Amino acid sequence: AICRQKLRRFLSWPGARVHEERILAALPPTFLQERAPLLGRLGRHEEALRILYKDLGNLDLALEYCDTRYGHQQKQGPRSNACAYLPLVSVALQSDPENGVKSAIQVMAMRRSRIDKFAALQMLPGKVPVSEVARPFLIPAMVDNESKIRRLKVTAALLRAKYVSLKKALTEAQIQSQASLHAVPALRNLHLGDPIQSSKPINAKPAHSPNIFPDVMILKHYFLRHLVIQAKVTNDHQRPMANIAFVVAESSDEAIQPLLQVPIKTLPSSATGSAWCVLTAAPQRMDGTAVLTCEMRYTVLAVDNPASLHFVSTGRSFVEEIQDVEVHAAQFAY
């Protein structure tokens, strides 16, 4: 008995290298249980289950065979699409006309989370009353599905909450990375050094009266050969904004011209961030004072729930001219 048990264990091991047909031919007729794993290795699963269920009369051994096959399928992944338990349902229905339906329903009930429910129901004879299947299989299967749906809804809610949290953290990090003069990577790459001086903030007013315009404070930072204009933008509206840029549309003096812009990618409601505009300057060639024609460009995003930060890509874009900015050549001197 011990030797046969070891043989069955060896034959059931997926890594065993054996010649199945030769062993089947050599096995004594009484070694029925040993034949089952060999037939399974050849893909003859119904024959293997017929031995376990009909010849040996042991539903537990047949279920164990299906469980082993199911475990192997799970390891193989999507490549194995065949349901491991349907052959046992088929064998039970074919082998035992009296108790076959009962055994088939028992298999369906005991492995309802693994079996192909629709295919298994189709295999049952049409004369089987619904009441015979409902209590052991249909109702528990429906309850399992409802529980699965609830779990998926909870998981979806948790993932959404995590997404919102990460989105908020990312937005805050982006705003913080542009908060000060020396924090902005694009400005650091210019190697501007320390500013000669910085102006006091002035409130930027639009030339017209748009429906939506953020609160904007303008600061000028003077360097030897550059002027950096910082637009501190506060979104005092309910909707988030994106792609907020301070743009120098025109300069009255060729000695001071725009070089690059660093817009604010996203600005939630009630948040404050900085957009930057860098201009090259040649103070020695300036005619005293240069006048810059400036614009604020921004997009007001559509959003389902402003508090959720679940932004969508659509929105309304604005280009608003603001009051001119004056730059004096003397301000570039120490």
Side-chain angles (χ1 to χ4, degrees), residues 137-286:
F137 177 66
L138 287 179
I139 295 176
M142 292 174 64
V143 171
D144 289 345
N145 286 340
E146 289 181 1
S147 300
K148 186 177 181 179
I149 291 172
R150 284 195 296 269
R151 289 196 299 270
L152 289 174
K153 286 182 177 179
V154 170
T155 302
L158 291 174
L159 289 174
R160 178 177 173 81
K162 186 175 182 180
Y163 164 79
V164 170
S165 176
L166 291 174
K167 180 71 175 179
K168 182 178 180 181
L170 176 61
T171 302
E172 290 175 350
Q174 290 173 342
I175 293 173
Q176 189 62 33
S177 70
Q178 295 183 199
S180 62
L181 188 62
H182 296 291
V184 186
L187 301 185
R188 289 204 307 267
N189 293 338
L190 295 175
H191 306 291
L192 298 173
D194 294 326
I196 297 170
Q197 60 176 309
S198 298
S199 69
K200 293 181 179 180
I202 58 171
N203 187 254
K205 297 179 181 179
H208 307 286
S209 299
N211 294 331
I212 299 178
F213 188 80
D215 182 69
V216 182
M217 301 296 294
I218 302 295
L219 294 91
K220 293 175 285 186
H221 306 282
Y222 295 88
F223 297 83
L224 283 176
R225 293 182 178 83
H226 294 87
L227 171 67
V228 179
I229 300 178
Q230 178 183 5
K232 293 187 69 173
V233 182
T234 299
N235 182 4
D236 49 7
H237 297 275
Q238 292 184 349
R239 293 184 180 181
M241 295 182 175
N243 303 320
I244 306 170
F246 178 90
V247 179
V248 175
E250 188 178 353
S251 172
S252 66
D253 197 321
E254 292 185 357
I256 181 166
Q257 295 293 324
L259 175 63
L260 66 86
Q261 300 159 9
V262 183
I264 303 171
K265 292 182 179 180
T266 306
L267 192 65
S269 177
S270 303
T272 299
S274 291
W276 302 82
C277 181
V278 181
L279 300 95
T280 57
Q284 68 278 6
R285 294 195 292 111
M286 288 178 62

Side-chain angles (χ1 to χ4, degrees), residues 49-115:
L49 288 167
R50 195 171 288 110
I51 290 174
L52 299 173
Y53 175 79
K54 183 182 179 181
D55 298 342
L56 295 177
N58 196 321
L59 179 60
D60 291 336
L61 283 178
L63 270 175
E64 184 180 335
Y65 175 94
C66 294
D67 290 339
T68 302
R69 184 185 172 199
Y70 178 83
H72 294 162
Q73 288 178 331
Q74 293 300 106
K75 292 178 181 179
Q76 292 174 1
R79 292 177 296 173
S80 300
N81 297 321
C83 177
Y85 298 91
L86 291 180
L88 179 54
V89 174
S90 176
V91 167
L93 292 173
Q94 295 172 12
S95 304
D96 190 353
E98 294 184 3
N99 299 315
V101 171
K102 183 179 178 181
S103 297
I105 295 174
Q106 186 178 355
V107 171
M108 293 162 60
M110 294 176 68
R111 298 297 185 268
R112 62 177 179 270
S113 63
R114 300 178 177 181
I115 199 169

Side-chain angles (χ1 to χ4, degrees), residues 41-52:
R41 294 171 68 92
L42 293 170
R44 295 154 61 179
H45 299 293
E46 286 201 12
E47 292 182 51
L49 288 167
R50 195 171 288 110
I51 290 174
L52 299 173

Side-chain angles (χ1 to χ4, degrees), residues 9-17 20 41 68 72 75-76:
R9 189 181 302 123
F10 172 73
L11 295 175
S12 299
W13 179 45
R17 296 183 178 182
E20 293 86 358
R41 294 171 68 92
T68 302
H72 294 162
K75 292 178 181 179
Q76 292 174 1

